């Protein structure tokens, strides 16, 4: 663990092995990704003979065609709308519930908490058929809410647990003092708890956003008009249309994962902390 | 959940703010409970209900057939294949992915130049959407244009169509799963390693333990909680696999790479056999819940 | 004074109402056509209709074949569903009619429907009520590549019996040519072999009897034999490398690229292979040959029996009446003649076949006219659930993971389970 501190000779065989191993894994991770990005710059024929290397001739047209078509931006816009709806609703609803669980002692609170925890145990996929029927009966099929509401419901369990833990960890004296001063619970929630909870809200928001942004099954079942498709559905339709024209498909894939990668590079620490904290605390 | 709660709850406020609490209770709690009940709990109950009918989704279910759907499911070869595949995914996750993640975590937890960059690189596959990963690898594996085909041709051989063969399709899927998720588990371990009490490791060293002995007898035991958590996530995640399989193989060829969820989709939703699909969902639910309860009871007793 | 006010309001309301009535009606048209040349003509027809019918917009949406079949059940349940959808008729159509998701357009097509070939219209009629309109006919048979066949000294005209086909495959393999290309990933291209064998072995009588559950239903002798003969072919390994991973468009492109000698396909592939080939040119007319599916010794089917599709369009429930209007416009003598001239389809409107200017298309049209028994694709005619089982088992026989007997039993079991 602390080998960095002790003096060692430059070429430790263990170090060499470690370097080679890490390099190998790095290559295995990078190659598919790079091939995808570069593939979009090649023509189909060149892709077949030169899949790994830099394009001999940079076909900007593939990327340009996609960027200039309305389709790509429509897909991103739909994804953004659905994900934003999901995150907003999740944060509001979960924060309110978590606050109640954290500070209000009432009969049945632990039972209700266990009830919510059930949601962690099984995936949305198991109930997707009845969910479809229900969304249809509510008239929400082919609407953004038809996708967002179930997503919110399924992320409640994790979100409430995380938020509740954080709320409880806040100094209790604050609440005591506020109540003594005659401040209502609700005011306290709005003016004290929420502002202090920025980190955890950001964490929960990030997890929820990434899960919703990448979601495929739920939108696949609930949405049928391509004008509403988020990018995971859009990319599959594109692939169905251009089946063997890999250079086009790879360009499309690159452009659709680009937002995720940019977001990741900008908010690395946050995303990692969020996704792993969710796991560790859960 | 933990020890801290009891001391806090003993401070529960009573007295004049009961009204305030009541307002919070009836305002703040119902939305969550309503959404959760409506979209999570009820559908599972309805799945059990619909599974007793032969229904194609239009109108109301009218054709009661009792447990017949379950009988049909258990008689379908594709179901057992899907179950086997989920088992394979779990096995591979535990036997290959976790050790790999742990090894990498041990290597990268220290601070050396490039460690953080490597960590981010390895974590990147995890943040990509499963659907995008599946598509990328369907290109990689393509027997004509793919990277694999290219390598094969470089050696002068006819490239295999990995995704088109019943014997290799699952193998191909498993490789993609490991590629995608090892980074997540690695980060879990790194977080745990970094919050380890270094003094214990130092103590072992002072007592004369070698590196591998320290590893085996001090570090890893300290990591047990995280390992257990990692296993838990790996298994729950494995049972839900769908997005990855669809672009790669759609569950084929001949159902050889179906997972429980893709089997549900192909048979329940695509063919609108709501009763049959619900039966599959119920079976999957029972598996998930049984696993979760058993696991929590046996392995995570302090949770 | 108040009266005047009320009158004014009423007038305003009328104006508003009139404005609303003048607002655009959108007709949503969902299609699966992959040939851009044909889609282009469709778009022109749509625009022409729009200009002659102001206030109506035709919105076209594409979905790939397999994705369409998978999503259709959910699409039909949405209140935003498309108004015009593609159909292969058969049991799937019947299931849709029973579910009440289609519009009964019998009255709206009275008179017009006389212009259509009766057999074609019958495919879209149930109990005397019409739910959609046929648009094209097609036949399944073997398309072949003249050069590659010649390379192996195989004469396509000489392939008359199943055994002839098997020897042809052997000779092609010996000459180093990939005998057959098939889109195994989509499964339905494989089911053509199995079902066409059944058509040859048992003819119409066997199919009808099986539907009634007689003679062991689909587990009966005819269907077991189909599987066995299909297995004979499979055992020769006639397909291209990795055939189970090829989607149909890929397979058609493969044929268009001249990489395989034969493919058992729908007659439209003749034209489609040009659009899907890598060089977008494909095989020219003089390089393509055709032969009907071979007969089976001792088979009860007539050599004129055909397997193929009667495809068309359905109107979904609650669609604006402009949808039917547009459909009649689309399936009219002029448009059909135009599409026939482009060799995109075999028309269903009487008299439109004068547009067929290609010997191949004329041959198919003649085959279809001669046929007394035109079997619709099993995976559509048997209904959504049983049909897919036929596809599944065909793929399994092809992949070597299921025996012909088990395949037949599986289909019979699915038929008993019902849809």
């Amino acid at each position: 663990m602390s080998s960095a501190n002790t003096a060692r000779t430059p070429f430790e065989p263990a170090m060499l092995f470690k370097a080679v191993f890490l390099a190998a894994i790095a290559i295995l991770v990078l190659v598919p990704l790079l091939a995808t990005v570069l593939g979009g710059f090649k023509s189909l024929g060149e892709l077949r003979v030169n899949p790994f290397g830099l394009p001999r001739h940079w076909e900007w047209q593939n990327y340009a065609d996609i960027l200039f078509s309305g389709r790509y931006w429509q897909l991103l816009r739909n994804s953004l709308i659905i994900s934003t709806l999901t995150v907003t609703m999740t944060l509001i609803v979960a924060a309110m519930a978590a606050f109640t669980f954290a500070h209000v002692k009432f009969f049945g609170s632990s039972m209700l908490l266990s009830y919510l925890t059930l949601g962690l145990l099984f995936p949305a996929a198991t109930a997707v058929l009845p969910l479809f029927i229900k969304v249809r009966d509510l008239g929400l099929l082919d609407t953004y809410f038809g996708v967002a509401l179930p997503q919110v419901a399924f992320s409640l369990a994790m979100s409430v647990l995380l938020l509740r833990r954080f709320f409880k960890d806040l100094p209790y004296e604050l609440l005591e003092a506020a109540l003594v001063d005659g401040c209502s619970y609700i005011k306290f929630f709005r003016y004290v708890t929420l502002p202090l909870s920025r980190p955890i809200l950001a964490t929960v928001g990030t997890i929820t956003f990434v899960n919703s942004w990448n979601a495929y099954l739920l939108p696949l079942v609930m949405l049928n008009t391509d004008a509403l498709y988020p990018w995971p559905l859009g990319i599959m339709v594109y692939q169905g249309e251009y089946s063997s024209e890999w250079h086009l498909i790879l360009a499309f894939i690159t452009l659709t994962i680009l937002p995720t990668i940019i977001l990741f590079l900008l908010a690395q620490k946050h995303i990692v902390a969020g996704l792993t904290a969710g796991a560790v605390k859960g | 959940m933990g020890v801290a709660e009891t001391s806090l709850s003993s401070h529960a406020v009573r007295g004049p703010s009961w009204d305030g609490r009541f307002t919070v209770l009836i305002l703040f709690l119902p939305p969550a409970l309503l959404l959760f009940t409506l979209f999570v709990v009820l559908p599972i109950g309805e799945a059990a209900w619909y599974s007793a009918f032969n229904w194609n989704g239009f109108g109301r279910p009218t054709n009661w057939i009792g447990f017949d759907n379950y009988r049909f499911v258990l008689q379908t070869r594709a179901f057992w294949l899907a179950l086997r595949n989920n088992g394979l995914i779990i096995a591979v996750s535990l036997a290959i992915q976790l050790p790999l993640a742990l090894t990498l975590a041990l290597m990268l937890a220290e601070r050396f130049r490039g460690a953080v960059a490597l960590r981010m690189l390895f974590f990147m596959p995890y943040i990509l959407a499963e659907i995008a990963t599946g598509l990328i690898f369907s290109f990689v594996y393509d027997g004509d244009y793919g990277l694999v085909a290219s390598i094969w041709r470089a050696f002068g051989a006819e490239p295999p169509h990995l995704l088109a063969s019943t014997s290799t399709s699952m193998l191909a899927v498993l490789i993609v799963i490991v590629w995608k998720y090892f980074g997540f588990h690695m980060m879990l371990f790194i977080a745990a390693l970094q919050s380890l009490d270094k003094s214990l490791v130092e103590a072992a060293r002072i007592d004369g333990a070698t590196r591998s002995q320290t590893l085996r007898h001090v570090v890893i035991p300290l990591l047990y909680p995280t390992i257990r958590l990692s296993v838990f996530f790996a298994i729950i995640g494995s049972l839900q696999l769908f997005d990855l399989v669809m672009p790669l193989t759609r569950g084929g060829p001949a159902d050889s790479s179906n997972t429980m969820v893709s089997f549900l989709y192909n048979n329940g939703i695509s063919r609108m056999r709501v009763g049959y699909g619900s039966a599959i969902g119920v079976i999957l639910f029972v598996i998930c819940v049984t696993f979760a309860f058993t696991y929590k009871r046996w392995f995570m007793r302090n949770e | 004074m108040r009266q005047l006010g009320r009158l004014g309001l009423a007038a305003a309301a009328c104006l508003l109402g009139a404005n609303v009535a003048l607002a655009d009606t959108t007709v949503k048209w969902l299609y699966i056509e992959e040939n851009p040349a044909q889609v282009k003509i469709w778009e022109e027809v749509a625009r022409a209709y729009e200009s002659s019918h102001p206030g109506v917009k035709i919105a076209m949406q594409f979905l790939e074949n397999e994705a369409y079949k998978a999503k259709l059940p959910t699409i039909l349940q949405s209140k935003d569903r498309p108004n015009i959808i593609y159909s292969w008729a058969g049991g799937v159509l019947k299931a849709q009619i029973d579910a009440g998701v289609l519009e009964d357009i019998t009255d709206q097509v009275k008179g017009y429907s006389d212009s259509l070939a009766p057999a074609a219209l019958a495919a879209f009629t149930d109990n005397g009520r019409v739910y959609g309109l046929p648009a094209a006919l097609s036949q399944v048979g073997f398309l072949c590549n003249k050069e590659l066949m010649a390379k192996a000294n195989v004469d396509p005209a000489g392939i008359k019996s199943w055994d002839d086909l098997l020897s042809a495959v052997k000779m092609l393999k010996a000459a180093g040519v990939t005998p057959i290309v098939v889109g195994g990933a989509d499964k339905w291209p494989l089911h053509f072999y199995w079902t066409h064998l059944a058509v040859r072995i048992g003819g119409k009588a066997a199919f009808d009897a099986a539907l009634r559950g007689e003679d062991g239903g689909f587990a009966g002798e005819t269907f077991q034999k189909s599987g066995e003969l299909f297995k004979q072919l499979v055992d020769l390994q006639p397909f291209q490398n990795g055939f189970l991973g090829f989607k149909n468009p890929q397979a058609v492109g493969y044929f268009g690229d001249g990489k395989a000698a034969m493919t058992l396909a729908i007659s439209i592939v003749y034209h489609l292979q040009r659009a899907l080939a890598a060089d977008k040119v494909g095989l020219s007319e003089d390089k393509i040959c055709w032969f009907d599916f071979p007969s089976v010794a001792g088979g009860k089917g007539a050599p004129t029996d055909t397997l193929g599709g009667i495809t068309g369009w359905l109107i979904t429930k609650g669609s604006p009446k402009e949808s039917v209007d547009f459909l009649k416009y689309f399936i009219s003598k002029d448009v059909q003649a135009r599409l026939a001239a482009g060799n995109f389809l075999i028309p269903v409107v009487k008299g439109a076949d004068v547009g067929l200017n290609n010997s191949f298309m004329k041959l198919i049209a003649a085959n279809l006219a001669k046929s007394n028994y035109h079997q619709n694709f099993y995976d559509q005619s048997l209904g959504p659930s049983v049909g897919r089982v036929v596809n599944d088992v065909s793929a399994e026989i092809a992949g070597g993971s299921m025996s012909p007997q088990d395949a037949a039993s599986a289909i019979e079991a699915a038929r008993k389970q019902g849809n």
Side-chain angles (χ1 to χ4, degrees):
Chain A
M1 284 296 128
S2 48
S3 61
N5 300 338
T6 42
R8 289 207 183 276
T9 46
F11 276 124
E12 268 277 299
M15 292 271 277
L16 188 63
F17 170 73
K18 196 166 144 182
V20 169
F21 186 64
L22 287 174
I25 307 270
I27 291 178
L28 285 175
V29 170
L30 270 178
V31 165
L33 297 174
L34 279 180
T36 304
V37 175
L38 291 178
F41 285 111
K42 300 177 185 161
S43 68
L44 190 58
E46 197 197 333
L47 189 59
R48 188 168 195 279
V49 293
N50 176 27
F52 289 105
L54 287 174
R56 251 170 273 159
H57 176 236
W58 292 76
E59 304 264 348
W60 296 94
Q61 201 53 34
N62 300 339
Y63 280 101
D65 282 342
I66 300 173
L67 282 173
F68 286 114
S69 72
R71 180 184 199 165
Y72 171 71
W73 299 102
Q74 187 186 56
L75 293 177
L76 288 187
R77 197 191 65 140
N78 288 332
S79 283
L80 193 63
I81 294 178
I82 296 177
S83 299
T84 314
L85 274 177
T86 307
V87 171
T88 320
M89 287 195 288
T90 304
L91 285 180
I92 295 176
V93 173
M96 297 199 310
F99 182 75
T100 319
F101 280 119
H103 295 300
V104 180
K105 188 164 154 62
F106 61 96
F107 176 74
S109 74
S110 56
M111 237 174 42
L112 276 180
L113 200 58
S114 312
Y115 175 66
L116 273 184
T117 320
L118 270 184
L120 282 176
L121 297 180
F122 60 94
T126 54
V128 70
L129 266 166
L131 203 56
F132 167 74
I133 305 275
K134 183 170 295 293
V135 170
R136 179 197 69 181
D137 290 343
L138 287 172
L140 292 175
L141 217 50
D142 264 335
T143 62
Y144 292 126
F145 280 100
V147 179
L149 286 177
Q151 281 183 341
V152 173
F154 271 95
S155 50
L156 275 180
M158 175 82 92
S159 312
V160 169
L161 286 181
L162 281 177
L163 288 171
R164 172 184 170 274
R165 187 75 74 99
F166 191 89
F167 291 166
K168 272 197 176 256
D169 284 348
L170 288 177
Y172 188 71
E173 298 73 43
L174 283 174
L175 179 60
E176 260 186 328
L179 290 171
V180 162
D181 280 349
C183 170
S184 77
Y185 272 92
I186 298 182
K187 282 226 176 69
F188 181 76
F189 176 66
R190 236 181 104 195
Y191 294 114
V192 183
T193 314
L194 284 184
L196 283 179
S197 310
R198 284 226 178 87
I200 194 69
L201 287 175
T203 301
V204 171
T206 310
I207 304 177
T208 315
F209 188 84
V210 172
N211 284 335
S212 174
W213 182 262
N214 291 340
Y216 178 62
L217 180 59
L218 216 55
L220 181 66
V221 173
M222 305 298 175
L223 297 174
N224 293 305
T225 349
D226 56 359
L228 293 174
Y229 282 359
W231 74 267
L233 296 192
I235 205 181
M236 287 305 277
V237 171
Y238 192 84
Q239 195 251 358
E241 252 183 82
Y242 291 97
S243 56
S244 301
E245 299 187 63
W246 281 114
H247 57 307
L248 294 177
I249 299 180
L250 290 178
F252 205 85
I253 297 177
T254 311
L255 285 174
T256 44
I257 61 176
L258 206 56
T260 322
I261 298 195
I262 293 178
L263 183 69
F264 176 64
L265 292 174
L266 286 179
Q268 284 169 28
K269 290 241 157 59
H270 226 63
I271 294 183
V272 172
L275 292 171
T276 51
V280 172
K281 293 260 169 88
Chain B
M1 288 270 171
V3 184
E5 274 72 291
T6 39
S7 57
L8 273 175
S9 54
S10 65
H11 281 115
V13 176
R14 295 196 183 280
S17 350
W18 171 244
D19 286 330
R21 280 199 294 162
F22 191 66
T23 324
V24 172
L25 198 57
I26 60 168
L27 266 187
F28 276 25
L29 206 47
L33 289 180
L34 184 66
L35 273 178
F36 185 74
T37 310
L38 192 60
F39 290 109
V40 178
V41 179
L42 276 187
I44 279 294
E46 287 163 353
W49 171 246
Y50 293 148
S51 68
F53 291 88
N54 185 358
W55 186 35
N56 63 2
F58 293 108
R60 296 273 104 211
T62 46
N63 189 357
W64 173 273
I65 56 171
F67 284 113
D68 275 357
N69 273 324
Y70 292 96
R71 197 160 50 84
F72 295 148
V73 172
L74 292 174
Q75 281 173 351
T76 314
R77 183 173 152 268
F79 168 74
W80 295 104
L81 270 177
L83 203 56
R84 175 206 78 163
N85 285 338
N86 274 108
L88 274 177
I89 298 174
I90 293 177
V92 165
S93 297
L94 298 182
I96 298 182
Q97 199 173 290
L98 287 195
L100 176 66
L102 189 54
T103 314
L104 286 172
L106 289 170
M107 284 187 193
L108 292 179
E110 314 161 27
R111 253 157 286 270
F112 61 87
R113 204 143 30 128
V116 177
L118 276 177
R119 276 187 236 162
M120 289 303 151
L121 179 64
F122 294 164
F123 190 68
M124 192 136 81
Y126 179 69
I127 57 143
L128 293 177
E130 280 192 357
I131 194 86
T133 314
L135 267 178
I136 292 176
F137 273 88
S138 72
F139 163 69
V140 170
Y141 286 132
D142 188 74
D144 228 359
Y145 293 95
L147 301 180
V148 169
S150 196
I151 297 178
W152 239 261
R153 271 197 295 265
F155 286 106
E158 179 78 28
H161 282 75
L162 291 172
L163 295 174
S165 160
T166 46
S167 45
T168 54
S169 60
M170 198 55 204
L171 177 64
V173 172
L174 289 170
I175 294 177
V176 182
I177 294 177
V178 173
W179 185 88
K180 187 167 198 311
Y181 290 107
F182 80 93
F184 171 73
H185 294 279
M186 179 196 74
M187 288 307 255
L188 270 188
F189 289 137
I190 289 182
L193 283 171
Q194 286 177 337
S195 59
L196 266 193
D197 191 355
K198 292 289 184 338
S199 58
L200 290 169
V201 178
E202 293 297 323
R205 284 306 187 74
I206 291 173
D207 281 347
T210 65
R211 273 202 83 171
S212 71
Q213 279 175 329
T214 325
L215 207 60
R216 207 142 38 95
H217 298 287
V218 180
V219 178
I220 294 194
L222 282 175
L223 285 178
Y224 275 160
T226 314
I227 294 181
R228 282 199 290 263
L229 196 67
S230 201
V231 168
F232 181 76
F233 277 109
I235 298 185
I236 289 277
S238 307
L239 289 169
Q240 310 185 17
L241 211 68
F242 171 75
D243 299 10
L244 208 54
V245 171
M246 289 312 266
L248 281 173
T249 58
R250 263 190 282 168
D255 295 312
S256 56
S257 61
N258 251 341
T259 58
M260 292 289 282
V261 182
S262 73
F263 175 62
L264 200 167
Y265 180 77
N266 283 331
N267 281 279
I269 300 186
S270 291
R271 306 181 190 191
M272 261 292 140
R273 297 175 68 188
V274 180
Y276 188 82
S278 298
I280 303 173
V282 169
I283 294 177
L284 186 59
F285 174 74
V286 168
I287 294 177
C288 284
V289 173
T290 312
F291 161 71
F293 274 122
T294 324
Y295 194 78
K296 284 209 141 119
R297 223 158 177 270
W298 283 49
F299 292 104
M300 298 170 86
R301 241 165 294 188
N302 49 342
E303 181 44 69
Chain C
M1 266 288 118
R2 217 177 276 171
Q3 297 274 46
L4 214 57
R6 251 186 254 159
L7 213 59
L9 270 175
C14 279
L15 274 176
L16 276 173
N19 269 336
V20 166
L22 281 177
D24 278 357
T25 317
T26 312
V27 174
K28 293 184 278 231
W29 185 10
L30 180 57
Y31 68 95
I32 61 165
E33 181 56 50
E34 300 199 331
N35 191 337
Q38 185 171 176
V39 176
K40 186 152 165 296
I41 299 187
W42 293 3
E43 282 171 356
E44 287 169 20
V45 174
R47 300 290 93 81
Y49 183 82
E50 280 173 352
S51 50
S52 56
H53 294 76
V56 182
K57 290 219 91 45
I58 313 287
M60 294 169 71
Q61 181 185 349
F62 167 80
L63 207 53
E64 185 258 331
N65 194 326
E66 273 306 296
Y68 174 75
K69 286 182 196 149
K71 288 220 83 190
L72 195 57
T74 42
I75 288 177
L76 287 174
Q77 308 216 22
S78 159
K79 59 177 166 24
D80 266 337
R81 53 180 171 258
N83 307 114
I84 305 180
I85 55 173
Y86 191 69
S87 170
W88 294 271
V92 174
L93 171 60
K94 182 99 181 37
Q96 290 164 336
I97 297 174
D98 288 341
V101 291
L102 299 177
E103 186 82 23
D104 178 345
I105 59 173
T106 321
D107 301 320
Q108 285 164 294
V109 300
K110 258 196 180 48
Y112 160 79
S113 47
D114 296 334
S115 63
L116 301 171
L121 182 63
F124 284 81
T125 313
D126 181 59
N127 262 346
R129 313 301 298 176
V130 178
Y131 293 92
L133 294 175
L137 297 169
S138 58
Q139 183 193 359
V140 168
F142 276 99
L143 280 166
C144 49
N145 182 321
K146 278 193 191 148
E147 282 174 7
L148 293 178
M149 297 291 269
K151 190 168 164 205
N153 277 326
V154 176
D155 176 20
I159 304 185
K160 291 267 180 270
S161 73
W162 183 249
D163 291 325
D164 290 337
L165 180 68
L166 294 178
S167 348
V169 168
K170 288 187 200 141
M171 284 166 69
L172 284 162
K173 281 202 87 139
V177 175
T178 308
I180 307 179
V181 57
V182 70
D186 286 341
K187 294 185 185 175
W188 56 263
L190 286 167
H191 102 297
F192 283 168
Y193 290 90
W194 193 91
T195 46
H196 218 310
L197 280 168
V199 167
R200 288 282 182 251
I201 298 174
K204 189 170 198 312
F207 184 70
D208 287 341
L211 275 183
R212 290 191 296 266
E214 294 169 15
D215 291 338
F218 283 100
E221 218 195 289
T222 306
F223 305 96
Q224 288 206 26
K225 190 141 182 249
S226 309
E228 282 161 29
L229 290 182
F230 182 39
K231 186 158 189 322
Q232 279 181 2
L233 178 64
V234 169
D235 288 340
L236 290 178
Q237 296 192 333
F239 303 123
Q240 83 278 20
N241 223 348
F243 72 98
L244 282 172
F246 269 64
K247 299 213 184 68
N248 189 58
Q250 269 175 288
V252 173
Y254 196 84
F255 179 75
D257 290 339
K259 294 195 186 148
M262 307 183 277
T263 181
L264 180 62
I266 312 176
S267 43
I268 53 156
V269 166
Y270 176 82
H271 203 82
L272 188 62
Q273 50 91 13
R274 293 204 199 119
L276 294 180
D279 56 5
K280 299 273 181 287
V281 172
L283 297 173
S284 58
E285 266 186 52
D286 51 337
K287 296 209 183 118
I288 301 190
C289 46
W290 165 278
F291 59 94
D292 293 334
F293 196 86
S295 61
V296 173
K300 298 198 195 73
T304 49
D305 290 345
T306 46
L307 175 70
I310 302 174
T311 51
W313 305 89
L314 304 173
I315 304 287
T316 58
K317 211 173 191 75
S319 296
K321 59 173 170 46
E322 285 80 358
S323 329
V324 186
D325 207 47
F326 173 68
L327 201 56
K328 290 198 286 192
Y329 181 87
F330 180 65
I331 307 179
S332 59
K333 188 142 172 259
D334 295 328
V335 178
Q336 288 252 302
R338 194 173 161 200
L339 290 169
N343 294 319
F344 294 112
L345 47 70
I346 308 277
V348 297
V349 174
K350 292 182 196 155
D353 47 2
V354 298
L356 290 176
N357 55 22
N358 173 288
S359 59
F360 171 74
M361 302 294 280
K362 289 194 185 140
L363 170 66
I364 304 293
N367 281 347
L368 289 169
K370 259 192 301 180
S371 165
N372 284 324
Y373 168 41
H374 184 73
Q375 174 60 52
N376 198 348
F377 308 117
Y378 267 29
D379 71 335
Q380 296 295 317
S381 64
L382 288 175
S385 198
V386 183
R388 282 191 165 266
V389 174
V390 175
N391 284 348
D392 288 341
V393 307
S394 302
E396 301 225 25
I397 297 180
S401 49
M402 196 183 257
S403 77
Q405 287 72 23
D406 289 341
S409 317
I411 301 176
E412 177 59 16
R415 188 194 67 81
K416 288 213 201 99
Q417 271 181 37
N419 276 313

